[in-house]
C-alpha cells in the first residue's frame, strides 16, 4: 500500500498537472522524530471540477494556506505538494 502511494506521487512529478489549492484541514504529528503535516487540500482541476485530496508533507501548513500541487488526471485525489 505504501509503495503504491509513493509510486503515484512519483507519477505526479512526471505526468501531473500543476495547480494551486487551499489547505482546508491540517494536523501536525511526528514520525521517527520528524514533523509531518497531514492535510486536506481543496483544488479545481483543468475541467473546472472541485476536488479534496489528502496527503502528508514535511512542510508546515495551516488551514487557509495556498499551496502549489500536481495532481493526476486519471486519479485527481492523488496529489503531490510542491515546495
Amino acid at each position: 500500500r505504501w509503495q503504491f502511494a509513493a509510486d503515484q506521487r512519483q507519477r505526479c512529478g512526471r505526468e501531473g498537472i500543476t495547480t494551486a489549492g487551499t489547505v482546508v484541514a491540517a494536523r501536525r504529528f511526528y514520525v521517527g522524530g520528524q514533523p509531518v503535516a497531514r492535510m486536506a487540500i481543496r483544488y479545481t482541476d483543468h475541467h473546472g471540477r472541485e476536488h479534496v485530496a489528502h496527503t502528508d508533507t514535511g512542510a508546515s501548513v495551516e488551514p487557509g494556506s495556498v499551496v502549489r500541487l500536481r495532481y493526476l488526471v486519471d486519479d485527481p485525489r492523488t496529489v503531490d505538494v510542491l515546495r
Side-chain angles (χ1 to χ4, degrees), residues 24-52:
V24 294
R27 182 174 63 89
R28 202 118 169 110
F29 59 98
Y30 291 85
V31 175
Q34 297 298 315
V36 176
R38 179 160 292 155
M39 61 183 158
I41 305 166
R42 179 178 293 126
Y43 73 94
T44 303
D45 70 14
H46 66 288
H47 291 296
R49 291 183 290 239
E50 190 172 273
H51 300 276
V52 176

Side-chain angles (χ1 to χ4, degrees), residues 26-81:
R27 182 174 63 89
R28 202 118 169 110
F29 59 98
Y30 291 85
V31 175
Q34 297 298 315
V36 176
R38 179 160 292 155
M39 61 183 158
I41 305 166
R42 179 178 293 126
Y43 73 94
T44 303
D45 70 14
H46 66 288
H47 291 296
R49 291 183 290 239
E50 190 172 273
H51 300 276
V52 176
H54 298 84
T55 191
D56 295 342
T57 182
S60 178
V61 294
E62 299 292 330
S65 300
V66 174
V67 295
R68 288 180 28 87
L69 60 96
R70 286 183 186 260
Y71 68 91
L72 294 177
V73 172
D74 62 344
D75 184 8
R77 290 184 297 173
T78 298
V79 300
D80 187 27
V81 175

